[in-house]
């Protein structure tokens, strides 16, 4: 890897760390750059997963204020995310990449629609609860852990737009504002990337230069993303999510 290639990987790591903290889909920056500097796809994928862990951690720390009062929720969804992440990481080892090529674009498109129309859908869900005399479930009932398990398996497998899927599911099924949901998303992203990376340590080959460059960049980007992201209004944050998610969808369709 030349010095300019190393700079490109590090800069991509900064961008990915910031985007992951604010929205998700930072992999869309780092993964193509790692391929461009000559890493094989699987090596690039696993090196990227490990390198993005510090960014997820720094982003979660940056959002610690929004995490207050959500410990039980984080523990419940975190356990589900760990199981899903390890399942997805195992699938990466045994399945061809084409296995997810059909379902992933559909999944991202549905997530984008849920995010875009989340306020309207949430009001409809609330009216339905009121008609039935039911209260909002603080942890999303059975549907949320089930959806998060599937999303985390996808995150362990590849991860582009994983954060957007998390935001869509929690935004629809939890009675919380988008910033507090984003804080939980950052913790879950750190857990998924970390669990998948530990699994890959035993079964895959890393490019440790790439790992260190992405890690350093993503750690800085995570801090930057937390500073910027928590200042965004819910509407602005939703627009950014849909914009980045659309880019992820296009990427999946044309690659």
């Amino acid at each position: 890897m030349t010095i300019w290639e190393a700079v490109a990987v590090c800069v991509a790591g900064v961008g990915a760390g910031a985007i992951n903290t604010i929205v998700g889909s930072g992999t869309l920056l780092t993964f193509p750059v790692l391929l461009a500097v000559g890493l094989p796809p699987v090596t690039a994928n696993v090196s990227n997963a490990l390198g993005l862990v510090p960014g997820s951690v720094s982003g979660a720390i940056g959002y610690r204020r929004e995490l207050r009062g959500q410990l039980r929720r984080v523990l419940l969804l975190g356990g589900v995310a760990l199981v899903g992440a390890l399942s997805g990481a195992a699938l990466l080892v045994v399945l061809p990449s084409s296995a997810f090529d059909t379902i992933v674009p559909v999944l991202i498109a549905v997530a984008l629609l849920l995010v875009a129309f989340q306020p309207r859908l949430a009001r409809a869900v609330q009216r339905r609860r009121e008609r039935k005399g039911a209260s909002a479930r603080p942890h999303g009932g059975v549907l949320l852990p089930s959806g998060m398990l599937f999303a985390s398996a996808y995150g362990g497998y590849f991860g582009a737009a994983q954060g957007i899927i998390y935001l869509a599911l929690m935004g629809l099924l939890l009675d919380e504002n988008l910033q507090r949901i984003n804080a939980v998303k950052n913790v879950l992203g750190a857990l998924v990337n970390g669990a998948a990376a530990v699994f890959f340590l035993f079964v895959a080959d890393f490019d440790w230069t790439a790992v260190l460059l992405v890690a350093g960049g993503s750690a800085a980007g995570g801090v930057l993303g937390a500073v910027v992201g928590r200042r965004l209004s819910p509407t602005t944050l939703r627009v950014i999510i849909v914009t980045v998610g659309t880019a992820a969808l296009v990427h999946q369709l044309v690659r």
Side-chain angles (χ1 to χ4, degrees):
M1 190 181 299
T2 68
I3 183 64
W4 294 114
E5 289 175 337
V7 169
V9 171
C10 187
V11 170
V14 174
I19 291 175
N20 277 342
T21 300
I22 299 172
V23 184
S25 295
T27 291
L28 295 180
L29 285 180
T30 46
F31 186 69
V33 172
L34 292 176
L35 293 179
V37 300
L39 270 65
V42 173
T43 301
N45 195 9
V46 298
S47 299
N48 182 64
L50 182 56
L52 289 178
V53 171
S56 300
V57 172
S58 65
I61 292 172
Y63 264 90
R64 61 189 179 279
R65 186 171 65 202
E66 286 77 9
L67 286 169
R68 291 172 184 167
Q70 300 198 81
L71 178 59
R72 185 179 176 186
R73 178 178 294 156
V74 168
L75 291 176
L76 172 63
L77 297 180
V80 171
L82 286 174
V83 173
L86 292 174
S87 301
L91 289 175
L92 178 65
V93 177
V94 300
L95 293 180
S97 61
S98 59
F100 274 80
D101 284 351
T102 301
I103 187 61
V104 167
V106 176
L107 193 63
I108 296 173
V110 172
L112 287 177
L113 291 173
L114 290 176
V115 171
F117 294 102
Q118 185 264 331
R120 185 176 300 178
L121 291 170
R123 287 193 295 269
V125 171
Q126 180 61 29
R127 287 195 296 268
R128 183 179 180 185
R129 289 195 186 109
E130 290 172 353
R131 287 197 301 268
K132 292 185 174 182
S135 58
R137 297 179 179 180
H139 306 297
V142 176
L143 189 57
L144 181 58
S146 301
M148 298 295 277
L149 178 66
F150 184 81
S152 299
Y154 166 59
Y157 185 89
F158 181 57
Q162 169 198 351
I164 293 171
I165 298 169
Y166 280 166
L167 290 171
L169 289 169
M170 290 189 287
L172 180 63
L173 298 171
L174 295 176
D175 185 18
E176 283 285 5
N177 69 63
L178 199 52
Q179 291 288 5
R180 282 172 60 80
I181 289 173
N182 201 27
V184 176
K185 178 267 292 178
N186 288 331
V187 174
L188 298 182
L191 289 173
V192 169
N193 279 343
V198 170
F199 179 87
F200 293 144
L201 283 173
F202 296 97
V203 297
D205 295 323
F206 290 84
D207 185 302
W208 289 103
T209 300
V211 170
L212 293 174
L213 290 169
V214 173
S218 70
V223 174
L224 176 63
V227 172
V228 173
R230 72 192 325 170
R231 295 180 180 178
L232 299 175
S233 69
T235 300
T236 302
L237 184 57
R238 189 167 287 108
V239 169
I240 293 173
I241 292 169
V242 172
T243 301
V244 174
T246 301
L249 178 59
V250 172
H251 176 269
Q252 290 293 329
L253 291 173
V254 303
R255 71 189 180 91

